[in-house]
Amino acid sequence: MALNLRKLTAGVALGAALIVGAGAVTHAQDAKQTIVTVVKLSGIAWFNRMEEGVEQYAEETGHDATQVGPASADAALQVQMIEDLIAKKVDAITVVPNSPEALEPVLGKALNAGIKVVGHEASSLQNITYDVEAFDNAAYGRHLMEALAQAMGGEGEYAVFVGHLTAKTHNEWVDAAIEYQKEKYPDMTLVTDKLESNEQQQTAYQKTKELLRTYPNLKGIQGSAGEDVVGAALAVEEAGLDGKVKIVGTSLVSVAGPYLETGAIEMISFWDPAKAGIAMNKVASMAIAGEEVTDGMDLGVEGYNAIKLDGKVLYGQAWVDVTTDNMSEYDF
């Protein structure tokens, strides 16, 4: 994210887009429920935006819905937070794991304590009641690679970033993207293994500087964490290579907008974290109330109006692409 991060103003751009639509799922509101969302990292724009959705959900339903997260993207710190929530006997925990594998034991403990568990960006989790995904992750990865390939003219060297090598969704995106590139664009070459940004713009910036020194013919970068494309764009601009090194990936307009305007970033894609926050809390609330989630169900949140259910995993259709042509439509 941007180097001087600020918390986005609560309520920005939520408005009617996040209001439950007619015909959406409803559930019993008699008993106040305590639902806590545990995110990867506090204080960055992506999860500030998610917190807006959690707060909106609490306001609309009257439930005690809140969000917490560690000061650094550390799975061990998430484990400590979840242990504390188990001790407090909350009704449900929704979680965006830094490492799904590292959280499995403590989430199993939560389930054994009668707490409902809803994951996000973690379709591999086993110790869950449900997992909510914004979309099919492999399809999203292929989509990002297609955009990068088009920008690169279908040839040349490129590199990929993930927030963490343990981040399930980031690796699903990148693995699918690389496989797609090999099949569809054989004249493109991945120059090195996945680069890890640790969800930090500064890390992505430094590693991109190293990339540009090591691979002077680099033509493309695909980012996964919201900070990746911005750190990469800053390094590319400093090297005087904006427009020559194409950058696409996941971010928000509030973070990547200035680099979209200069052309240093070709395209960003994202799903609205606020809407994901509402969707997770809705599913958690249904689970608490003993209500069944079914294939094709409308959760009443844009992008989650006809969910696909695969076992415990719910898939929406929630990604959007943003370039200079439509960035003015998004003020988060």
Side-chain angles (χ1 to χ4, degrees), residues 84-96:
D84 182 56
L85 295 174
I86 294 170
K88 291 179 178 177
K89 299 180 180 180
V90 299
D91 295 313
I93 296 169
T94 72
V95 59
V96 190

Side-chain angles (χ1 to χ4, degrees), residues 106-159:
V106 74
L107 294 180
K109 185 175 178 180
L111 289 176
N112 290 335
I115 297 170
K116 304 301 181 184
V117 176
V118 176
H120 180 58
E121 297 190 55
S123 60
S124 64
L125 277 174
Q126 299 300 308
N127 289 317
I128 52 170
T129 311
Y130 290 105
D131 177 78
V132 177
E133 297 297 314
F135 39 70
D136 176 272
N137 289 311
Y140 183 66
R142 292 190 291 268
H143 174 71
L144 289 179
M145 179 53 68
E146 179 63 30
L148 182 63
Q150 290 295 325
M152 291 174 58
E155 60 181 14
E157 298 178 347
Y158 75 98

Side-chain angles (χ1 to χ4, degrees), residues 11 25 47 53 181 254:
V25 295
F47 291 118
Q181 171 265 305
S254 63

Side-chain angles (χ1 to χ4, degrees), residues 56-117:
Q56 179 75 13
Y57 177 79
E59 181 180 346
E60 289 179 351
T61 64
H63 292 315
D64 182 10
T66 55
Q67 178 173 302
V68 298
S72 60
D74 187 336
L77 295 177
Q78 287 187 306
V79 169
Q80 293 175 19
M81 289 182 163
I82 294 169
E83 289 278 11
D84 182 56
L85 295 174
I86 294 170
K88 291 179 178 177
K89 299 180 180 180
V90 299
D91 295 313
I93 296 169
T94 72
V95 59
V96 190
N98 282 303
S99 169
E101 293 78 12
L103 266 58
E104 288 284 16
V106 74
L107 294 180
K109 185 175 178 180
L111 289 176
N112 290 335
I115 297 170
K116 304 301 181 184
V117 176

Side-chain angles (χ1 to χ4, degrees), residues 1-292:
M1 296 297 173
L3 288 173
N4 55 341
L5 293 170
R6 59 181 177 79
K7 181 170 181 176
L8 300 179
T9 303
V12 172
L14 288 176
L18 298 182
I19 294 175
V20 176
V25 295
T26 59
H27 47 72
Q29 300 289 336
D30 297 335
K32 189 172 184 177
Q33 302 168 347
T34 302
I35 306 170
V36 182
T37 297
V38 180
V39 298
K40 293 180 179 180
L41 176 66
S42 287
I44 63 173
W46 187 274
F47 291 118
N48 290 343
R49 175 65 177 174
M50 181 170 282
E51 189 169 19
E52 293 180 25
V54 172
E55 292 172 349
Q56 179 75 13
Y57 177 79
E59 181 180 346
E60 289 179 351
T61 64
H63 292 315
D64 182 10
T66 55
Q67 178 173 302
V68 298
S72 60
D74 187 336
L77 295 177
Q78 287 187 306
V79 169
Q80 293 175 19
M81 289 182 163
I82 294 169
E83 289 278 11
D84 182 56
L85 295 174
I86 294 170
K88 291 179 178 177
K89 299 180 180 180
V90 299
D91 295 313
I93 296 169
T94 72
V95 59
V96 190
N98 282 303
S99 169
E101 293 78 12
L103 266 58
E104 288 284 16
V106 74
L107 294 180
K109 185 175 178 180
L111 289 176
N112 290 335
I115 297 170
K116 304 301 181 184
V117 176
V118 176
H120 180 58
E121 297 190 55
S123 60
S124 64
L125 277 174
Q126 299 300 308
N127 289 317
I128 52 170
T129 311
Y130 290 105
D131 177 78
V132 177
E133 297 297 314
F135 39 70
D136 176 272
N137 289 311
Y140 183 66
R142 292 190 291 268
H143 174 71
L144 289 179
M145 179 53 68
E146 179 63 30
L148 182 63
Q150 290 295 325
M152 291 174 58
E155 60 181 14
E157 298 178 347
Y158 75 98
V160 296
F161 275 92
V162 294
H164 290 278
L165 294 175
T166 57
K168 173 68 173 176
T169 53
H170 291 187
N171 283 278
E172 287 181 335
W173 302 343
V174 166
D175 289 344
I178 295 169
E179 182 180 358
Y180 181 81
Q181 171 265 305
K182 289 178 178 177
E183 178 184 352
K184 299 291 185 180
Y185 295 99
D187 293 331
M188 291 174 62
T189 303
L190 180 67
V191 294
T192 187
D193 293 337
K194 300 169 189 172
L195 298 164
E196 190 175 32
S197 69
N198 297 316
E199 306 270 344
Q200 297 294 329
Q201 176 188 314
Q202 186 66 20
T203 304
Y205 164 71
Q206 292 293 348
K207 289 191 175 183
T208 300
K209 289 179 67 175
E210 294 170 12
L211 270 176
L212 297 175
R213 287 194 295 267
T214 306
Y215 304 100
N217 296 320
L218 193 74
K219 286 184 62 177
I221 296 172
Q222 178 177 320
S224 299
E227 298 82 5
D228 295 349
V229 293
V230 179
L234 179 59
V236 166
E237 281 196 342
E238 284 187 356
L241 296 171
D242 42 316
K244 296 180 181 178
V245 179
K246 306 297 183 179
I247 302 172
V248 304
T250 304
S251 192
L252 297 175
V253 173
S254 63
V255 178
Y259 297 97
L260 284 169
E261 289 178 336
T262 64
I265 295 176
E266 194 81 11
M267 183 192 82
I268 61 171
S269 297
F270 58 86
W271 65 105
D272 187 343
K275 294 174 185 175
I278 291 180
M280 283 190 290
N281 274 262
K282 279 182 170 288
V283 170
S285 182
M286 291 177 66
I288 294 166
E291 298 179 9
E292 184 183 4

